Amino acid sequence: MELQYRSTRGTGEPLTASRAILQGLAQDGGLFVPDRIPVLEKTMRAFAAMSYQETAYEVMKLFLTDYTEEELRSCIRSAYDSRFDTEVIAPLVKKAGAYYLELFHGPTIAFKDMALSILPYLMVTAAKKNHLQKEIVILTATSGDTGKAALAGFADVPGTRILVFYPKNGVSPIQELQMVTQKGNNTAVIGILGNFDDAQTGVKEMFGDAELARQLDAAGYQFSSANSINIGRLVPQIVYYVYAYAQLLAKGEIQDGERIHVVVPTGNFGNILAAFYAKNMGVPIDRLICASNENKVLYDFFATGCYDKNRPFVLTTSPSMDILVSSNLERLIYRIAGEDAAQNAELMRELRTDGKYTISGNMKEKLAEFYGNYATEEETAAQIRKQYESDGYVLDPHTAVASAVYEKYAAETNDSQKAVIVSTASPYKFTGSVMRAIDASYDGQDPFVLAEELSRISGVKIPDAIGEIRCANVLHHTVCEKDQMKETVCRILNLPETSM
């Protein structure tokens, strides 16, 4: 049966998967969700014998039902190839009593590659299926990792252009270099003088700007998104939770049907939402452990039922989690509201106007499978140092947040169930923070010198992604104020001045 996608805010006709991927964000500002979460057709024992690519097909075919088998297999084959530095795509590593799911073996050494390697193929296929004649303009905000992964995926893809906004002073030096050195005649990278929430808000406002939409249409353009608001980003992320459980089973680490916990460092909520979807598809996941840094809006939400972004924005060593408006949480709110689009829309209106909303007691009861906690900057650094000193395994700051939160959970609950900790980025993306945590004497050194030192102490080869940018030319120099984002887009696309 074909799956249809609806807006979390209720207006508009349901769309096929390919049309939802092309559109990115619903016209009413809502996010597309499937009209049901399908159940896995294979047993976990069957998945245990499958490759990552085979797993991806079996999971994604259930959501992308208007793609033919040939189309979907072609997208998967093209995405998960030699660009990943390990054949298994997502290795599962056992360290200190937990299992780290390494999602950073792709071309940009962050977990965003897991979805953004395939999104361009899904989108180009969708354009052909729907006879789209317009050029697709990928408009994206990034807190550090999405930007580079999206740029790498869409660079020089025919029929597309990609514009990425990032907080000028809110990403690591390596993250910034990865973006501003990106080649591709269809790429543009813009630093904004603001934080990620400012960038994300500006992008969403442009998606909802009717006048801008008319200008784009007249010029032969159509906006879409590579952010996790796009359902084409969320569906591929479900795959690695199915794969992780199957690999634990294949390795004999768990019994068939044994429940596990999943620990996810969380900013925009898409990664842990994918785990929630996997659980609802039939993967035996017990607790969904949501790990925050000092921007602990999600921790407070799970504790109180009140989502309140009215607080200081903290710049941390885990910048991809420096987020106060977690867009994908809306998909969960819609679900626990009984798929009541009107109720969800009202809560999102309150967030937009008051900066906060409070869910009902009945809705909060439906969050019992989630556990939230956070790690301070000091705890994050201590976790990096502790893990390195105990077994030589080096965590990036985001994974360290998750590892620290898992230890807090275990200490609070005395729960000994096995856990998969999602490792979202290579430590090589954050050499300054990582090496300083291991030894304060490294403070202030050049990030590329630190990369060499990190390789020496860890025994892990410097990824190609780091070597490629070391001597690369900076190609993108544009910086704008946060209220000049629309004007900047219009200038890049050569739209008429009346649209500014």
Side-chain angles (χ1 to χ4, degrees):
M1 186 184 299
E2 185 168 276
L3 222 58
Q4 296 284 306
Y5 288 82
R6 304 175 183 275
S7 169
T8 52
R9 301 185 192 180
T11 64
E13 293 297 314
L15 302 180
T16 61
S18 63
R19 288 181 61 202
I21 287 171
L22 281 175
Q23 192 166 315
L25 189 69
Q27 291 179 343
D28 58 9
L31 279 62
F32 288 115
V33 289
D35 53 19
R36 68 183 187 282
I37 297 178
V39 176
L40 292 170
E41 295 176 347
K42 304 287 186 182
T43 66
M44 296 313 302
R45 181 64 67 186
F47 278 116
M50 292 185 191
S51 68
Y52 191 88
Q53 292 86 342
E54 291 166 336
T55 303
Y57 174 73
E58 292 297 332
V59 173
M60 293 174 65
K61 74 175 186 180
L62 303 176
F63 287 94
L64 309 182
T65 52
D66 65 325
Y67 286 74
T68 67
E69 179 175 350
E70 182 182 353
E71 288 170 341
L72 189 51
R73 286 194 185 276
S74 176
C75 290
I76 291 167
R77 191 165 53 246
S78 299
Y80 304 114
D81 60 8
S82 60
R83 287 175 295 178
F84 286 77
D85 65 16
T86 170
E87 285 189 17
V88 297
I89 308 297
L92 196 63
V93 178
K94 186 176 182 180
K95 297 289 180 182
Y99 302 86
Y100 288 88
L101 181 63
E102 295 185 345
L103 301 179
F104 52 76
H105 289 276
T108 76
I109 56 177
F111 84 100
K112 305 298 175 73
D113 289 325
M114 304 301 294
L116 283 164
S117 290
I118 195 170
L119 182 60
Y121 298 102
L122 294 175
M123 197 167 284
V124 169
T125 302
K128 291 177 182 176
K129 291 175 71 68
N130 291 278
H131 310 291
L132 185 69
Q133 302 300 315
K134 298 174 189 172
E135 190 168 12
I136 303 168
V137 177
I138 308 298
L139 189 64
T140 292
T142 184
S143 55
D145 288 335
T146 287
K148 173 59 182 178
L151 287 161
F154 281 96
D156 291 325
V157 171
T160 70
R161 298 185 68 169
I162 177 162
L163 283 64
V164 170
F165 287 92
Y166 75 97
K168 175 62 180 170
N169 300 308
V171 299
S172 79
I174 296 291
Q175 286 176 310
E176 183 171 38
L177 271 175
Q178 283 189 302
M179 288 187 283
V180 298
T181 59
Q182 176 66 51
K183 296 178 181 178
N185 292 326
N186 64 339
T187 63
V189 180
I190 307 100
I192 72 159
L193 301 177
N195 58 43
F196 170 73
D197 288 331
D198 297 323
Q200 181 168 250
T201 298
V203 164
K204 285 185 175 181
E205 287 176 352
M206 282 186 273
F207 269 95
D209 188 320
E211 173 59 24
L212 181 56
R214 284 191 289 271
Q215 294 288 341
L216 288 164
D217 185 65
Y221 293 125
Q222 174 182 316
F223 274 155
S224 190
S225 177
N227 279 99
S228 55
I229 56 176
N230 193 316
I231 196 68
R233 271 280 306 275
L234 181 63
V235 169
Q237 291 180 270
I238 300 168
V239 174
Y240 48 73
Y241 292 105
V242 179
Y243 184 74
Y245 187 93
Q247 287 309 295
L248 285 175
L249 191 57
K251 294 172 185 288
E253 298 288 346
I254 57 173
Q255 299 298 312
D256 196 2
E258 182 179 343
R259 292 161 70 84
I260 65 168
H261 301 315
V262 172
V263 191
V264 188
T266 311
N268 224 4
F269 207 76
N271 204 358
I272 196 167
L273 183 71
F276 173 79
Y277 273 47
K279 178 176 180 176
N280 280 270
M281 293 181 78
V283 179
I285 295 171
D286 191 359
R287 301 301 296 273
L288 297 156
I289 300 174
C290 178
S292 299
N293 64 15
E294 290 186 8
N295 293 291
K296 56 186 184 69
V297 62
L298 287 167
Y299 163 69
D300 292 336
F301 169 70
F302 284 117
T304 67
C306 177
Y307 192 97
D308 189 352
K309 71 168 187 173
N310 301 312
R311 63 185 69 204
F313 186 97
V314 184
L315 292 175
T316 74
T317 54
S318 48
S320 297
M321 298 162 65
D322 289 348
I323 296 172
L324 294 180
V325 180
S326 302
S327 288
N328 271 285
L329 184 63
E330 180 172 346
R331 287 184 166 115
L332 180 64
I333 296 299
Y334 173 78
R335 174 97 174 175
I336 64 174
E339 300 188 347
D340 185 334
Q343 183 178 3
N344 175 71
E346 174 58 23
L347 292 173
M348 295 307 113
R349 186 197 65 77
E350 291 175 16
L351 180 64
R352 187 171 62 255
T353 57
D354 304 329
K356 62 181 179 180
Y357 62 81
T358 301
I359 61 174
S360 68
N362 181 56
M363 290 170 69
K364 191 171 185 301
E365 287 177 4
K366 296 178 182 178
L367 297 176
E369 62 201 302
F370 287 89
Y371 167 90
N373 214 319
Y374 73 101
T376 65
E377 284 289 88
E378 292 76 15
E379 289 169 334
T380 302
Q383 194 71 12
I384 293 172
R385 184 169 55 254
K386 174 183 174 181
Q387 189 70 280
Y388 170 70
E389 291 177 348
S390 67
D391 55 24
Y393 191 58
V394 182
L395 307 177
D396 93 286
H398 305 76
T399 308
V401 166
S403 182
V405 165
Y406 172 61
E407 289 191 359
K408 289 184 178 184
Y409 170 80
E412 285 180 19
T413 62
N414 291 318
D415 187 341
S416 60
Q417 279 183 239
K418 296 181 175 68
V420 169
I421 297 174
V422 179
S423 187
T424 54
S426 165
Y428 282 98
K429 294 198 84 159
F430 307 95
T431 52
S433 303
V434 167
M435 297 303 289
R436 186 169 59 248
I438 291 172
D439 188 333
S441 67
Y442 289 117
D443 191 25
Q445 293 189 30
D446 178 87
F448 293 104
V449 172
L450 291 175
E452 293 173 356
E453 187 65 8
L454 175 56
S455 179
R456 185 188 69 79
I457 68 169
S458 67
V460 176
K461 177 180 174 290
I462 298 175
D464 292 341
I466 300 300
E468 289 168 359
I469 63 171
R470 185 164 192 169
C471 299
N473 293 324
V474 173
L475 303 175
H476 305 275
H477 302 274
T478 304
V479 177
C480 73
E481 297 287 346
K482 61 185 181 182
D483 59 358
Q484 295 177 329
M485 290 173 61
K486 177 181 173 181
E487 178 182 346
T488 302
V489 167
C490 291
R491 186 168 59 251
I492 291 170
L493 298 178
N494 294 314
L495 296 183
E497 200 168 304
T498 53
S499 69
M500 296 185 186

